[in-house]
Amino acid sequence: MEVDNNWEDTPELNITPLVDIMLVLLAILMVTAPVIVYKEEIQLPQGSKTAKTQEDSKIEIRVDVNRNIYIKSDVLQFDGFADFFVVFSNGYDKNTQVYIRADKNLKYDDVIYILKIAKQSGFSRVSLVTDG
């Protein structure tokens, strides 16, 4: 009886499908990992029930088309705004909200100048108000 020796003693291992499956699983893991939200039970302490926002806790700067600047009841010329605002802002907390209302026909440079002075005075919450 003759034995057919066409068979090899060690089978050939094809790992391509295994690598493909592992890459797909890795991609799924990378996509879903940032979405997982861990919920911790945290009990926060009770705070004060007083209102945080008051009418005096904001500063409103209004600029008309003639470059006149209005802050509360003060009327300023554009050139003297920087010095006045630095002195004016010393009485306020630097977390106070600052609103800038400027006429739409002003030059962009003028509005940015007002914004820059407010930021340089130490205020971090400066907003431009629009009609919309």
Side-chain angles (χ1 to χ4, degrees):
M1 187 168 189
E2 214 174 289
V3 177
D4 188 14
N5 285 340
N6 289 339
W7 293 14
E8 293 182 12
D9 291 338
T10 57
E12 191 175 313
L13 189 60
N14 187 3
I15 62 168
T16 305
L18 177 66
V19 171
D20 289 344
I21 290 173
M22 293 305 292
L23 287 174
V24 169
L25 290 175
L26 181 64
I28 291 172
L29 179 67
M30 289 173 57
V31 169
T32 58
V35 180
I36 297 173
V37 177
Y38 297 100
K39 184 176 180 183
E40 294 90 11
E41 294 296 325
I42 299 174
Q43 295 182 358
L44 298 174
Q46 293 295 323
S48 173
K49 303 261 185 202
T50 59
K52 289 183 181 178
T53 58
Q54 301 168 352
E55 197 59 35
D56 286 340
S57 67
K58 69 177 182 175
I59 299 172
E60 186 173 270
I61 302 170
R62 298 176 314 278
V63 186
D64 66 8
V65 73
N66 297 324
R67 296 175 63 187
N68 294 321
I69 301 173
Y70 304 92
I71 300 177
K72 297 201 181 255
S73 61
D74 297 318
V75 181
L76 309 167
Q77 296 300 317
F78 193 81
D79 298 333
F81 170 72
D83 296 330
F84 174 82
F85 193 74
V86 169
V87 173
F88 174 80
S89 66
N90 287 336
Y92 285 89
D93 179 28
K94 298 306 178 190
N95 288 326
T96 302
Q97 182 71 43
V98 177
Y99 295 107
I100 300 173
R101 294 178 184 271
D103 192 275
K104 68 178 180 178
N105 296 318
L106 280 172
K107 286 195 285 185
Y108 183 74
D109 289 340
D110 294 341
V111 178
I112 294 304
Y113 174 75
I114 302 291
L115 178 68
K116 180 179 81 168
I117 295 299
K119 288 286 210 174
Q120 285 178 347
S121 297
F123 292 101
S124 59
R125 299 175 61 203
V126 182
S127 302
L128 298 174
V129 179
T130 61
D131 186 25

Coordinates of all heavy atoms in Angstrom, one line a residue, residues 61-69 78 81 85 98-120 126-130:
I61 N -21.2 99.7 28.1 CA -20.5 100.8 27.4 C -21.3 101.0 26.1 O -21.4 100.0 25.3 CB -19.0 100.4 27.1 CG1 -18.3 100.1 28.4 CG2 -18.3 101.5 26.3 CD1 -16.9 99.5 28.2
R62 N -21.7 102.2 25.9 CA -22.5 102.5 24.6 C -21.7 103.5 23.8 O -21.2 104.5 24.3 CB -23.9 103.0 25.0 CG -24.7 102.1 25.8 CD -26.1 102.6 26.2 NE -26.0 103.9 26.8 CZ -25.8 104.2 28.1 NH1 -25.4 103.2 28.9 NH2 -25.8 105.4 28.6
V63 N -21.6 103.2 22.5 CA -20.8 104.1 21.6 C -21.7 104.5 20.5 O -22.3 103.6 19.8 CB -19.5 103.4 21.1 CG1 -18.7 104.4 20.3 CG2 -18.7 102.8 22.2
D64 N -21.9 105.8 20.2 CA -22.8 106.2 19.1 C -21.9 106.5 17.9 O -20.7 106.3 17.9 CB -23.6 107.5 19.5 CG -22.8 108.7 19.8 OD1 -21.6 108.7 19.5 OD2 -23.3 109.7 20.2
V65 N -22.6 106.9 16.8 CA -22.0 107.0 15.5 C -21.0 108.1 15.5 O -20.0 108.1 14.7 CB -23.0 107.2 14.4 CG1 -23.7 108.6 14.5 CG2 -22.4 106.9 13.0
N66 N -21.1 109.1 16.4 CA -20.1 110.2 16.5 C -19.0 109.9 17.4 O -18.2 110.8 17.8 CB -20.9 111.5 17.0 CG -21.9 111.9 16.0 OD1 -21.7 111.8 14.8 ND2 -23.0 112.4 16.5
R67 N -18.8 108.7 17.8 CA -17.7 108.2 18.7 C -17.8 108.7 20.1 O -16.8 108.8 20.8 CB -16.4 108.5 18.1 CG -16.1 107.7 16.8 CD -14.9 108.1 16.1 NE -13.7 107.7 17.0 CZ -12.5 108.0 16.7 NH1 -12.2 108.7 15.6 NH2 -11.5 107.7 17.4
N68 N -19.0 109.1 20.6 CA -19.2 109.5 22.0 C -19.5 108.2 22.8 O -20.3 107.4 22.3 CB -20.4 110.4 22.1 CG -20.2 111.8 21.5 OD1 -19.1 112.3 21.5 ND2 -21.2 112.3 20.8
I69 N -18.9 108.1 23.9 CA -19.0 106.9 24.7 C -19.8 107.2 26.0 O -19.5 108.2 26.7 CB -17.6 106.4 25.1 CG1 -16.8 106.1 23.8 CG2 -17.7 105.1 26.0 CD1 -15.4 105.7 24.0
F78 N -14.0 109.9 22.7 CA -13.3 108.7 22.3 C -11.8 108.7 22.8 O -11.3 107.6 23.3 CB -13.4 108.4 20.8 CG -13.0 107.1 20.4 CD1 -13.9 106.0 20.5 CD2 -11.7 106.8 19.9 CE1 -13.6 104.7 20.1 CE2 -11.4 105.5 19.5 CZ -12.3 104.5 19.6
F81 N -11.2 107.8 26.6 CA -11.9 106.7 27.2 C -10.9 105.8 28.0 O -11.3 105.3 29.0 CB -12.6 105.8 26.1 CG -13.0 104.5 26.5 CD1 -14.2 104.4 27.3 CD2 -12.4 103.3 26.1 CE1 -14.6 103.2 27.8 CE2 -12.8 102.1 26.6 CZ -14.0 102.0 27.4
F85 N -11.6 104.7 31.8 CA -12.1 103.3 32.1 C -11.2 102.6 33.0 O -11.7 101.8 33.8 CB -12.3 102.5 30.8 CG -13.1 101.3 31.0 CD1 -14.4 101.3 31.2 CD2 -12.4 100.1 31.0 CE1 -15.1 100.1 31.4 CE2 -13.1 98.9 31.2 CZ -14.5 98.9 31.4
V98 N -19.1 92.8 31.1 CA -19.0 94.1 30.4 C -19.7 93.9 29.1 O -19.4 93.0 28.3 CB -17.6 94.5 30.3 CG1 -17.5 95.8 29.5 CG2 -16.9 94.7 31.6
Y99 N -20.7 94.8 28.8 CA -21.4 94.8 27.5 C -21.0 96.0 26.7 O -21.0 97.1 27.2 CB -22.9 94.8 27.8 CG -23.4 93.5 28.5 CD1 -23.9 93.6 29.8 CD2 -23.5 92.3 27.8 CE1 -24.3 92.5 30.4 CE2 -24.0 91.2 28.4 CZ -24.4 91.3 29.7 OH -24.9 90.1 30.3
I100 N -20.7 95.8 25.5 CA -20.4 96.9 24.6 C -21.4 97.0 23.5 O -21.7 96.0 22.8 CB -19.0 96.7 23.9 CG1 -17.9 96.6 25.0 CG2 -18.7 97.8 22.9 CD1 -16.5 96.2 24.5
R101 N -22.1 98.1 23.5 CA -23.1 98.4 22.4 C -22.6 99.5 21.6 O -22.4 100.6 22.0 CB -24.4 98.8 23.1 CG -25.1 97.8 23.9 CD -26.4 98.4 24.5 NE -27.1 97.4 25.4 CZ -28.0 96.5 25.0 NH1 -28.3 96.5 23.7 NH2 -28.5 95.7 25.8
A102 N -22.3 99.1 20.3 CA -21.7 100.1 19.4 C -22.6 100.2 18.2 O -23.2 99.3 17.7 CB -20.3 99.7 19.0
D103 N -22.6 101.5 17.6 CA -23.4 101.7 16.4 C -22.8 100.9 15.3 O -21.6 100.8 15.2 CB -23.3 103.2 16.1 CG -24.3 103.6 15.0 OD1 -24.0 103.5 13.9 OD2 -25.5 104.0 15.4
K104 N -23.6 100.4 14.4 CA -23.1 99.6 13.3 C -22.4 100.3 12.3 O -21.6 99.7 11.5 CB -24.3 98.8 12.7 CG -25.3 99.7 11.9 CD -26.3 98.8 11.3 CE -27.3 99.6 10.5 NZ -28.3 98.8 9.8
N105 N -22.4 101.6 12.3 CA -21.7 102.4 11.3 C -20.3 102.9 11.8 O -19.6 103.6 11.0 CB -22.6 103.7 10.9 CG -23.8 103.3 10.2 OD1 -23.8 102.4 9.4 ND2 -24.9 103.9 10.6
L106 N -19.9 102.4 12.9 CA -18.6 102.7 13.4 C -17.6 101.9 12.7 O -17.9 100.8 12.2 CB -18.5 102.4 14.9 CG -19.0 103.5 15.9 CD1 -19.0 102.9 17.3 CD2 -18.2 104.7 15.8
K107 N -16.3 102.4 12.7 CA -15.3 101.6 12.1 C -15.0 100.4 13.0 O -15.1 100.5 14.2 CB -14.0 102.4 11.9 CG -14.1 103.4 10.8 CD -12.7 103.9 10.4 CE -12.3 104.9 11.4 NZ -11.0 105.6 11.0
Y108 N -14.6 99.3 12.4 CA -14.3 98.1 13.1 C -13.1 98.4 14.1 O -13.2 97.9 15.3 CB -13.8 97.0 12.1 CG -13.5 95.7 12.7 CD1 -14.6 94.8 13.2 CD2 -12.2 95.2 12.8 CE1 -14.3 93.6 13.7 CE2 -11.9 94.0 13.3 CZ -13.0 93.2 13.8 OH -12.7 92.0 14.3
D109 N -12.2 99.2 13.8 CA -11.1 99.5 14.7 C -11.5 100.2 15.9 O -11.0 99.9 17.0 CB -10.1 100.4 13.9 CG -9.3 99.7 12.9 OD1 -9.2 98.5 12.9 OD2 -8.7 100.4 12.0
D110 N -12.5 101.0 15.8 CA -13.0 101.7 17.0 C -13.7 100.8 18.0 O -13.4 100.9 19.2 CB -14.0 102.8 16.6 CG -13.4 103.9 15.8 OD1 -12.2 104.1 15.8 OD2 -14.2 104.7 15.1
V111 N -14.4 99.8 17.5 CA -15.1 98.8 18.4 C -14.0 97.9 19.0 O -14.1 97.6 20.2 CB -16.1 98.0 17.6 CG1 -16.8 97.0 18.5 CG2 -17.2 99.0 17.1
I112 N -13.1 97.5 18.3 CA -12.0 96.6 18.8 C -11.2 97.4 19.8 O -10.7 96.8 20.8 CB -11.1 96.1 17.6 CG1 -12.0 95.1 16.8 CG2 -9.9 95.3 18.2 CD1 -12.6 94.0 17.5
Y113 N -11.0 98.7 19.6 CA -10.2 99.5 20.6 C -11.0 99.5 22.0 O -10.3 99.3 23.0 CB -10.1 100.9 20.1 CG -9.5 101.9 21.1 CD1 -8.1 101.8 21.3 CD2 -10.2 102.8 21.8 CE1 -7.5 102.7 22.2 CE2 -9.7 103.7 22.7 CZ -8.3 103.6 22.9 OH -7.7 104.5 23.8
I114 N -12.3 99.7 22.0 CA -13.1 99.6 23.2 C -12.9 98.2 23.8 O -12.7 98.1 25.0 CB -14.5 100.0 22.9 CG1 -14.7 101.3 22.3 CG2 -15.4 99.8 24.2 CD1 -14.3 102.5 23.2
L115 N -13.0 97.2 23.0 CA -12.9 95.8 23.5 C -11.5 95.6 24.1 O -11.4 95.0 25.2 CB -13.2 94.8 22.4 CG -13.1 93.4 22.7 CD1 -14.2 92.9 23.6 CD2 -13.1 92.6 21.4
K116 N -10.5 96.1 23.5 CA -9.1 95.9 24.0 C -8.9 96.6 25.3 O -8.3 96.1 26.2 CB -8.2 96.4 22.9 CG -6.7 96.3 23.3 CD -5.8 96.8 22.2 CE -5.7 98.3 22.4 NZ -4.6 98.9 21.6
I117 N -9.4 97.8 25.4 CA -9.3 98.6 26.7 C -10.0 97.8 27.8 O -9.5 97.7 28.9 CB -9.8 100.0 26.6 CG1 -8.9 100.8 25.5 CG2 -9.8 100.7 27.9 CD1 -7.5 100.9 25.9
A118 N -11.2 97.3 27.6 CA -11.9 96.6 28.6 C -11.1 95.3 29.0 O -11.0 95.0 30.2 CB -13.3 96.2 28.1
K119 N -10.6 94.6 28.0 CA -9.8 93.4 28.4 C -8.5 93.8 29.1 O -8.1 93.1 30.0 CB -9.4 92.7 27.1 CG -10.6 92.0 26.4 CD -10.9 90.8 27.2 CE -11.5 89.7 26.3 NZ -11.7 88.5 27.0
Q120 N -7.8 94.8 28.7 CA -6.6 95.2 29.4 C -6.8 95.7 30.8 O -5.9 95.7 31.6 CB -5.9 96.3 28.6 CG -5.2 95.8 27.3 CD -4.5 96.9 26.5 OE1 -4.8 98.1 26.7 NE2 -3.7 96.5 25.5
V126 N -16.2 90.0 28.6 CA -16.6 91.2 27.7 C -17.3 90.7 26.6 O -16.9 89.8 25.9 CB -15.3 92.0 27.3 CG1 -15.7 93.2 26.5 CG2 -14.5 92.4 28.5
S127 N -18.5 91.3 26.3 CA -19.4 90.8 25.2 C -19.8 92.0 24.3 O -20.0 93.1 24.8 CB -20.6 90.2 25.7 OG -20.3 89.1 26.6
L128 N -19.9 91.7 23.0 CA -20.4 92.7 22.1 C -21.9 92.4 21.9 O -22.3 91.2 21.6 CB -19.7 92.6 20.7 CG -18.2 92.9 20.7 CD1 -17.6 92.6 19.4 CD2 -18.0 94.3 21.2
V129 N -22.7 93.4 22.1 CA -24.2 93.2 22.0 C -24.6 93.5 20.6 O -24.3 94.6 20.0 CB -24.9 94.1 23.0 CG1 -26.4 94.0 22.9 CG2 -24.4 93.8 24.4
T130 N -25.5 92.7 20.0 CA -26.0 92.9 18.6 C -27.5 92.9 18.7 O -28.1 92.6 19.7 CB -25.6 91.8 17.7 OG1 -26.1 90.5 18.2 CG2 -24.1 91.7 17.5

